[in-house]
Amino acid sequence: MKMVQFTEYGGPEVLQVIEVDRPVPTGRRVLIKVEAIGVNYADTARREGHYVVPTPLPFVPGTEVAGVVCEVGEETSTVRVGQRVVALIESGGYAEYASVDERAVIPLPDGLDVQQAVALPVQGLSAYHILKTMGRLEQGETVLVHAAAGGVGTLAVQLAKLFGAGKVIATASTEEKREMAMQLGADVAVDYTKESWKDEVMRATDGKGVDVALEMAGGDIFHQTLECLAPFGRLVVYGVASGQFTRMNPARLMGKNLAVIGFFLPQIMRKQTLYQQSLHELLTYVQAGKLTLTIGGVYPLEQAADVHRLLQSRKTHGKLILVP
């Protein structure tokens, strides 16, 4: 089978297409004939050697796969050959076949295609658990979503409304992206490239501030977002896209009983019941037409390096997908 790996850290050019033997599933593992692969910023961070946890070499990126189960291990009990499935895995997704623990596999609802399904696990589960598990969003609260036209952002805007948010404030850098966020359900859209963006957020909340904020930029945006929180507000950090790491005096949190909370998706994956229930719920939302997915482009597996370049250009909209 074909797969994409890298043997050194670096730019997209280090991604290599190679031929290897197809894996044979044993125990509780199943073999998926991959039909769609999700591409994520985590893949580029792995490739550059800048991921949250160490990346061993050689490494095959790819954490989201969808396709059909073609073989199962002798101890498998919940998955059968022929099922259409999606799975969130730690690595190995950039390949024609993926060997996956059956506990990571979720069957696809009828009528949901593999490209829709593979657009959900990383961004969908992140948005879901940032809002619900970590942000503890309550009915009627106000949510601030940065990068609202991005993968997590587009889903967070919609899920915040599904979870009962009273108001969703979206930030984005261009008029087109802000309009997209409004079409997805945001109540207010703000240009975060303006120095006055924080003042606009406060005006939109009548000076109260927001109850839950999603933050993934770091640097000055982190500090400004912290100032936007209402009493008892929760700021959930799930990335540092700017590369600017932040220093903060914890005493800043005391005056308004604020909380800064970290989010890392692999910890959710380790809680099987939580992972399976939430991904099933997300798939059901899509099937019912309650959650809109934006596919930004579908490319052959052999073009993985080009897709990484596209993703890092920050000029794409929606989910980028590879197909074997």
Side-chain angles (χ1 to χ4, degrees), residues 18-231:
I18 64 170
E19 290 271 354
V20 297
D21 292 335
R22 196 169 87 178
V24 177
T26 58
R28 297 189 67 178
R29 300 193 75 80
V30 304
L31 190 67
I32 299 173
K33 187 178 188 304
V34 176
E35 296 179 350
I37 304 154
V39 180
N40 296 286
Y41 279 109
D43 302 341
T44 66
R46 286 281 201 182
R47 191 199 72 229
E48 293 171 346
H50 296 154
Y51 193 54
V52 178
V53 296
T55 300
L57 297 175
F59 190 81
V60 179
T63 57
E64 297 168 305
V65 294
V68 178
V69 175
C70 59
E71 293 181 44
V72 298
E74 66 280 2
E75 296 176 17
T76 304
S77 60
T78 61
V79 180
R80 68 178 187 276
V81 171
Q83 275 189 303
R84 299 167 60 251
V85 298
V86 63
L88 183 61
I89 55 181
E90 291 195 10
S91 63
Y94 284 24
E96 292 181 307
Y97 293 86
S99 175
V100 179
D101 189 299
E102 68 171 330
R103 289 165 290 191
V105 172
I106 304 292
L108 296 189
D110 293 339
L112 194 67
D113 68 46
V114 291
Q115 291 181 12
Q116 287 180 303
V118 87
L120 266 181
V122 169
Q123 281 92 3
L125 286 171
S126 293
Y128 182 106
H129 290 289
I130 288 168
L131 288 166
K132 183 173 275 193
T133 307
M134 310 309 299
R136 304 184 308 280
L137 177 64
E138 296 181 6
Q139 196 80 21
E141 289 190 321
T142 299
V143 177
L144 174 62
V145 180
H146 284 306
V152 173
T154 54
L155 295 173
V157 166
Q158 298 174 77
L159 287 173
K161 285 294 190 178
L162 286 171
F163 294 160
K167 181 177 286 186
V168 175
I169 301 172
T171 77
S173 59
T174 68
E175 183 63 37
E176 180 186 5
K177 290 180 178 180
R178 292 191 292 276
E179 178 59 33
M180 179 182 180
M182 295 292 286
Q183 290 174 356
L184 291 173
D187 300 287
V188 178
V190 174
D191 182 353
Y192 71 84
T193 66
K194 292 183 178 178
E195 288 188 12
S196 61
W197 75 264
K198 181 171 70 73
D199 298 329
E200 291 186 47
V201 170
M202 296 306 291
R203 279 196 295 273
T205 61
D206 297 322
K208 176 183 177 243
V210 303
D211 301 293
V212 180
L214 285 67
E215 207 290 292
M216 41 65 72
D220 289 340
I221 296 291
F222 170 87
H223 290 291
Q224 292 166 331
T225 304
L226 195 60
E227 293 173 9
C228 289
L229 292 182

Side-chain angles (χ1 to χ4, degrees), residues 130 134-136 211-216 218 221-227 229-230 232-239 246-254 256-263:
I130 288 168
M134 310 309 299
R136 304 184 308 280
D211 301 293
V212 180
L214 285 67
E215 207 290 292
M216 41 65 72
I221 296 291
F222 170 87
H223 290 291
Q224 292 166 331
T225 304
L226 195 60
E227 293 173 9
L229 292 182
F232 297 94
R234 289 86 69 196
L235 191 161
V236 184
V237 176
Y238 68 100
T246 305
R247 291 181 179 273
M248 182 194 72
N249 181 354
R252 288 183 64 190
L253 307 177
M254 296 169 59
K256 293 196 290 183
N257 286 9
L258 305 180
V260 175
I261 304 160
F263 174 80

